[in-house]
Amino acid sequence: GVLVPAGARHVCYCHTPMRYVWDMYQDYFGPRQLGFFSRLVIPHITSYLRLWDRLSSDRVDFFAANSANVARRIGRHYRRGAEVIHPPVDVEIFSPGPVESAGSYYLLVSALSPYKHVELAIEAFNRSGAELRIVGFGPERRRLSRLAGPSIKFLDTLPLDQLVEQYRGCRAFVYPAEEDFGLALVEAQACGRPVVAFGRGGALESVVDGKTGILFPEQTADSLLAAVDRLEGLQLNTDEIRDNALKFSHRSFERKMARFVDHCRTADGQAISENAELTERR
């Protein structure tokens, strides 16, 4: 929405068009989230926001998206193309331990918000009895704790060094949400740990099914449990998992972003919707 001086290039690195007014309206403003008065008012506000968001997108000269998933949303809602530049993960900090020591617990790191669907993981591990550790906090914390059985442990928020140790020590990282990109999925792989993730959204770009983790097709506890069972039958290579995460390093991000901004600086001003082939060429 920023207004730039005449002649300036407006470059937007977009993590997603507004989720709560476009793709995930029901997740944020469904009947469970809103009271009676809010259900009367919110549709009018979100209608205005959609109009403003769509019109303000025309002010942008060049779009970059944090994933192909988000680039498709930009095309759908803004009718624009976007260069895909995945966000960076600090692969120096998120790294395997000195000696591989995978534990027996599973790990989930997430904000505890409705659209994250943490309740699916809780249901699955209540049924299996395996230990699930949940790192994160949010408005769903109280409800989720009521759903959790004795095998579920809430760690709330952790300092960075303790978070890294949780990644390093888990049997696998579990993620039931559809993400724009999903930094936590890459953090886990950077620590050499496999991922069990819902096979939609950004997970399709960061997890190699059968090699660095397992993608499950349906956003249900049954589908998640089947994926965990499949993982248990595989011998995945820690180095291969780690190598996959290295593609998302700070160095890679800086190189791609610098190249993209240089293109934007020297281009003739046409919107990148006419230059979307950049992604394919690179």
Side-chain angles (χ1 to χ4, degrees), residues 25-180:
Y25 179 86
Q26 288 300 322
D27 291 280
Y28 282 90
F29 303 125
R32 187 163 64 84
Q33 282 73 45
L34 299 181
F36 175 75
F37 180 74
S38 297
R39 287 199 295 270
L40 295 178
V41 174
I42 289 294
H44 299 286
I45 297 174
T46 54
S47 179
Y48 166 78
L49 284 173
R50 286 188 198 99
L51 178 63
W52 176 85
D53 192 41
R54 173 63 188 84
L55 293 175
S56 66
S57 70
D58 290 338
R59 301 174 187 164
V60 175
D61 295 308
F62 299 93
F63 273 102
N66 73 357
S67 63
N69 179 40
V70 168
R72 287 189 292 271
R73 290 185 201 164
I74 292 170
R76 183 164 62 250
H77 301 309
Y78 299 159
R79 301 292 190 266
R80 302 286 295 278
E83 175 86 338
V84 174
I85 303 175
H86 295 114
V89 168
D90 195 332
V91 296
E92 300 302 320
I93 293 177
F94 293 97
S95 61
V99 178
E100 184 180 2
S101 57
S104 59
Y105 66 90
Y106 291 80
L107 182 68
L108 194 162
V109 178
S110 173
L112 305 185
S113 300
Y115 83 94
K116 299 289 189 177
H117 294 291
V118 175
E119 72 278 358
L120 296 181
I122 290 175
E123 179 186 349
F125 285 88
N126 278 343
R127 286 161 52 183
S128 74
E131 181 181 352
L132 173 67
R133 298 183 184 180
I134 300 174
V135 178
F137 205 79
E140 291 277 275
R141 173 65 168 84
R142 182 176 298 180
R143 184 181 78 89
L144 293 171
S145 64
R146 289 197 298 265
L147 297 175
S151 67
I152 313 296
K153 293 181 170 57
F154 289 89
L155 303 182
D156 296 326
T157 55
L158 293 176
L160 180 60
D161 59 337
Q162 293 182 31
L163 175 62
V164 172
E165 289 307 312
Q166 290 297 320
Y167 276 125
R168 289 173 175 173
C170 71
R171 170 70 186 89
F173 183 77
V174 176
Y175 210 75
E178 178 181 348
E179 279 293 358
D180 307 326

Side-chain angles (χ1 to χ4, degrees), residues 173-212:
F173 183 77
V174 176
Y175 210 75
E178 178 181 348
E179 279 293 358
D180 307 326
F181 174 64
L183 285 171
L185 304 176
V186 180
E187 291 171 355
Q189 292 176 82
C191 293
R193 308 317 310 145
V195 171
V196 177
F198 178 45
R200 291 275 297 275
L204 296 174
E205 301 171 53
S206 64
V207 180
V208 183
D209 188 50
K211 291 186 176 181
T212 72

Side-chain angles (χ1 to χ4, degrees), residues 120 124 127 196-199 214-230:
L120 296 181
R127 286 161 52 183
V196 177
F198 178 45
I214 303 296
L215 298 173
F216 56 93
E218 298 176 359
Q219 208 169 29
T220 64
D222 286 338
S223 189
L224 194 162
L225 283 173
V228 170
D229 287 343
R230 182 182 165 206

